[in-house]
Amino acid sequence: MASVINVNLPQQSYEIAIAPSGIDKLGEYMSNLKLGKKVLIVSNPTLFKHYGERAIGSLESAGFEVASCTLPPGERYKTLSLVQKIYDTALENRIERSSTMVALGGGVIGDMTGFAAATWLRGINFVQVPTTLLAMVDASIGGKTGVNHPQGKNLIGAFHQPRLVLIDPEVLKTLPMREFRAGMAEVIKYGIIWDAQLFNEMEASKRLDQMRYVKPELIHTILTRSCQAKADVVSKDEKEAGLRAILNYGHTIGHAVESLTGYRVVNHGEAVAIGMVAAGQIAVELGMWQKEEAERQDFLIQKAGLPTQLPSGLDIDAIVDALQLDKKVKAGKVRFILPTQIGSVTITDEVPSDKIKQVLQRMITVE
């Protein structure tokens, strides 16, 4: 089942193509975009071993000249010093303004490649070939690129839209279980903020914690509806002036948890799951959301094999302090995305610190 979703933007619209065996058609898809002949593929060693040859073969068959660069996997390597390696490879291979950088990997590779493409020669073409569920439904769409600062996640970055997002669902078959579950956190997020029908369909599935238990039809629904939700929001608000902030549901506390644990204890999806539970509880405490709906959310998170409690050893005050470093802080006030019903959220900066602490206190893991 192949699908095409359009991201309609004033400057540069593009397609999200969901295509089985898409990696073998990469050259064909990119030929249609009338790009320069030089391509730099950025990946990590494991993924490059799996898919690099196929991607290069497809591009070379279509007449592209291909160079490659591999970076170590993991959020803790998403740094400016590692982006330097992409720049060095680009220089060695004379990557020009008409050239294209291709991100073959998960969210970390996509963010770093996109940032390198945004800043190399003041901006060159960029194509996303996401290989994780999380990157397919979220990180590869919308043009947010960047790297982490030791004090906070994605503090250094740029908006730089891809020319194409090519999703090959077959890649998910080789995805580690923990990575699959991490992606489900973002899918659940779309159900809460935008698409109640998607939430209901996931609720009806017996298991969501491993790909082999999820029917192929539901996988197709998850990919198409999640990508459509992201495309709809980004098309309405490309640079996060207002509406797009809702995509950060669960991310405010989630980013603080990731940062305080040095990006080594929980992955991004697990942190977002924890953040969604916290945001849901805050919304209930403030009388904005029904307790029953919060319980439905938390049950779905658990069904996807994701955590609903904080990692042990985290200091509550440190989390609240870390929230001040969030990119969404305005005039010293932390902006929260809070649900009002399944399928709808609101943006507020009127969440008292004591309420945040109270909710987080209840989420401490008991040894």
Side-chain angles (χ1 to χ4, degrees), residues 120-227:
W120 184 252
L121 304 178
R122 297 193 176 92
I124 67 168
N125 299 312
F126 165 47
V127 166
Q128 286 268 25
V129 185
T131 58
T132 65
L133 179 59
L134 195 147
M136 287 175 185
V137 299
D138 189 66
S140 66
I141 307 160
K144 273 190 180 180
T145 74
V147 293
N148 300 331
H149 184 276
Q151 297 300 310
K153 187 164 166 149
N154 295 331
L155 292 178
I156 306 152
F159 283 98
H160 189 56
Q161 297 293 346
R163 296 294 306 277
L164 165 74
V165 178
L166 180 59
I167 294 171
D168 184 345
E170 288 169 11
V171 169
L172 292 175
K173 290 172 187 167
T174 60
L175 193 63
M177 278 189 290
R178 189 179 178 193
E179 288 296 327
F180 180 75
R181 293 195 288 264
M184 289 304 299
E186 295 286 357
V187 179
I188 293 167
K189 175 192 82 175
Y190 289 122
I192 296 289
I193 68 168
W194 197 255
D195 189 341
Q197 190 184 327
L198 175 61
F199 187 94
N200 294 339
E201 288 196 35
M202 286 192 293
E203 251 186 340
S205 180
K206 281 202 174 95
R207 288 182 67 169
L208 293 169
D209 57 327
Q210 291 181 40
M211 176 143 170
R212 62 188 169 142
Y213 297 122
V214 184
K215 289 177 180 167
E217 301 79 37
L218 183 55
I219 293 288
H220 184 73
T221 298
I222 280 168
L223 291 174
T224 51
R225 293 188 78 96
S226 297
C227 290

Side-chain angles (χ1 to χ4, degrees), residues 249 253 273-299 308 337-339 351 355-356 358-363:
Y249 177 57
I253 285 170
I274 292 165
M276 288 193 291
V277 171
Q281 290 301 320
I282 289 167
V284 171
E285 288 287 333
L286 295 175
M288 298 165 66
W289 202 27
Q290 297 291 327
K291 186 168 180 283
E292 295 72 28
E293 289 209 329
E295 284 168 357
R296 281 175 66 195
Q297 171 197 257
D298 296 357
F299 185 70
T308 54
I337 318 305
L338 299 178
V351 181
K355 278 275 182 262
I356 301 170
Q358 197 180 321
V359 164
L360 292 173
Q361 202 68 46
R362 291 203 299 262
M363 289 176 65

